[in-house]
Amino acid sequence: MSRLCIWIIISTVFTCHATWTAASEQLSLFTRELLDSAREPEFFEWLKRIRRRIHENPELAFEEYETSQLVRSELESLGIEYTWPMAKTGIVGSVGSGAQPWFGLRADMDALPIQELVEWEHKSKRDGKMHACGHDVHTTMLLGAAKLLKQRSRQLKGTVKLVFQPAEESYGGAYYMLKEGALDNFQGIFGLHVSPEMPTGTIGSRPGPMLAASARFVAVISGQGGHAAIPHATRDPVLAASFAILALQQIVSRETDPLEARVLSIGFIEASQAESVIPETVRFGGTFRSLTTEGLLYLQQRIREIIEMQAAVHRCSATVDFLEEKLRPYPATANNEKMYEHAKWVGASMLGEQNVYLIPMSMGAEDFSFYSQKMPAAFFMIGTKNKTLEPVKPLHSPYLVFDEDVLPIGAALHAAVAISYLDKHVVETQ
């Protein structure tokens, strides 16, 4: 009997291994076929034309009217139905049978208020606006995925939803897309973000927490102004603000576990412009971040307490505005472990295991986090570094340059993650 049991176990192990190996080989062939399709010269040139058009005409948060029109025109030319407008300029396209499961792919469309300083043929034509975070690349990659998916729509075992979202930069466009029901009934979602530090042909992410929760604040300390020669006749808000700013730094250094990541940074201070005047008010503000929602709430509580108390100590008053309606706080971005493993498996099949990185957590923030709170989600970075281009510049730099070879890779990866998710879901529910 014991030999029989051992034989059954060994047979089962070999059968499972053979099945897994066959599935992996099949996925590898499929993903590479998608990538080869996206790299075909005609397809690749189409991707570059779209990206360059978007790059030349950057639009800020909730102002993406021309970008939205371009996306809709391309979807129409592909024969893809869509819903619009969502959150002012957002679009949700639909490819497949229309039946469940519904799986989402997301791209953001907005630019930044930055003057582009890269001199090239397709430089931004709008003063003070630039796609310095790669959202032009994100939008193009998702349109590329739309084309690949449409070509294979009859084979889709469900529906892929194409989420073109406004206002990722600071204004929480994802929150408003969810609020308007744009992502109702989704079973999962996948997103990509360019990384100029990672080589083209690589991707990276991590299971669980990946990016920080983030919020902002503006404080105003009011005192009694007067001549700088008679400070005893004033109530100096500059002194109160100085003590408050120094005291705020103690939250991280003396109130936070050294093994828990939190950040509090002051970004601006405004007071009088005259050397001999003690002003009536001082205004200052900044950002605070944590890898947990609880940590963010604690920082918010202590910021208010410290500023109000330091103002009182110096015979001043204070107000603290956390800008929760205008600049909605972002939750932490956390990857669902199963969705992360799925996207990692697909990426390794397409690009090779050595080109899928486990990246460290970052105190950067992303409004993709709103999606990750509502459904299983995976968010990956995709490399755009090419040694033959300009020296590497970080995101939000006016000198940022992207390797356009990333476009077909991102398009194919989007499509492969979605198609294989639908295939896997059907297998699991049979």
Side-chain angles (χ1 to χ4, degrees), residues 58-60 110-115 128-133 169 396:
E59 297 171 295
L60 302 182
D110 56 318
L112 285 160
I114 292 174
Q115 180 66 46
K129 299 177 184 179
M130 177 188 176
H131 273 292
C133 199
E169 298 289 354
H396 293 208

Side-chain angles (χ1 to χ4, degrees), residues 2 87 109 149 316 368-369 403:
S2 61
M109 301 187 292
L149 290 164
C316 296
F368 189 85
S369 56
D403 179 6

Side-chain angles (χ1 to χ4, degrees), residues 18-308:
T19 302
W20 181 87
T21 301
S24 296
E25 290 176 353
Q26 185 178 6
L27 180 65
S28 180
L29 290 172
F30 168 67
T31 57
R32 289 174 186 177
E33 182 268 324
L34 281 172
L35 183 55
D36 288 343
S37 294
R39 281 175 167 166
E40 289 178 359
E42 184 178 350
F43 198 119
F44 191 15
E45 288 301 316
W46 173 72
L47 289 172
K48 288 191 285 189
R49 285 197 304 272
I50 291 173
R51 186 257 164 162
R52 292 169 181 178
R53 284 175 60 192
I54 297 172
H55 189 86
E56 289 175 356
N57 296 284
E59 297 171 295
L60 302 182
F62 293 121
E63 299 175 1
E64 310 93 336
Y65 297 106
E66 290 186 19
T67 306
S68 180
Q69 178 60 59
L70 183 153
V71 170
R72 298 196 309 276
S73 295
E74 293 298 333
L75 293 177
E76 288 169 4
S77 70
L78 294 170
I80 294 175
E81 296 182 355
Y82 59 83
T83 301
W84 170 86
M86 308 296 293
K88 290 190 177 182
T89 58
I91 305 155
V92 178
S94 184
V95 185
S97 65
Q100 292 286 353
W102 290 2
F103 185 78
L105 299 173
R106 173 268 200 169
D108 37 16
M109 301 187 292
D110 56 318
L112 285 160
I114 292 174
Q115 180 66 46
E116 181 168 7
L117 298 179
V118 181
E119 295 300 333
W120 69 305
E121 185 181 355
H122 302 285
K123 180 179 179 179
S124 170
K125 296 178 179 178
R126 301 188 177 187
D127 288 342
K129 299 177 184 179
M130 177 188 176
H131 273 292
C133 199
H135 297 188
D136 53 335
V137 177
H138 300 168
T139 300
T140 303
M141 292 190 300
L142 187 51
L143 281 171
K147 189 170 187 175
L148 292 171
L149 290 164
K150 183 62 178 178
Q151 292 169 349
R152 297 156 179 82
S153 59
R154 292 184 180 181
Q155 287 77 49
L156 295 180
K157 298 179 175 67
T159 307
V160 181
K161 295 289 187 175
L162 310 166
V163 180
F164 295 91
Q165 173 214 303
E168 188 281 325
E169 298 289 354
S170 302
Y171 289 89
Y175 169 84
Y176 295 99
M177 293 288 281
L178 287 166
K179 186 177 180 181
E180 293 188 16
L183 284 80
D184 287 354
N185 302 314
F186 281 30
Q187 271 68 63
I189 192 166
F190 174 74
L192 286 171
H193 199 297
V194 290
S195 171
E197 292 80 21
M198 291 168 50
T200 304
T202 66
I203 59 172
S205 188
R206 63 180 303 108
M210 178 182 175
L211 298 171
S214 171
R216 295 183 171 95
F217 74 94
V218 173
V220 177
I221 295 182
S222 301
Q224 181 178 324
H227 200 291
I230 49 172
H232 58 284
T234 71
R235 296 181 179 182
D236 189 349
V238 174
L239 189 63
S242 300
F243 272 87
I245 291 169
L246 288 173
L248 288 173
Q249 303 309 308
Q250 309 302 318
I251 301 175
V252 174
S253 67
R254 287 297 176 268
E255 299 181 23
T256 300
D257 185 333
L259 300 179
E260 182 177 346
R262 292 180 186 173
V263 167
L264 197 167
S265 297
I266 304 301
F268 75 91
I269 307 173
E270 297 173 351
S272 170
Q273 298 299 308
E275 295 85 350
S276 60
V277 175
I278 292 174
E280 292 281 336
T281 62
V282 172
R283 184 172 175 266
F284 64 94
T287 182
F288 55 104
R289 300 170 183 237
S290 171
L291 287 171
T292 67
T293 300
E294 295 77 17
L296 196 74
L297 292 174
Y298 180 80
L299 288 172
Q300 180 172 322
Q301 174 190 335
R302 292 294 290 139
I303 288 168
R304 184 184 298 279
E305 290 173 352
I306 287 170
I307 293 173
E308 290 178 349

Side-chain angles (χ1 to χ4, degrees), residues 194-199 357 381 383-385 392-395:
V194 290
S195 171
E197 292 80 21
M198 291 168 50
Y357 300 166
M381 308 303 289
T384 62
K385 179 182 177 182
V392 174
K393 299 295 181 182
L395 297 173

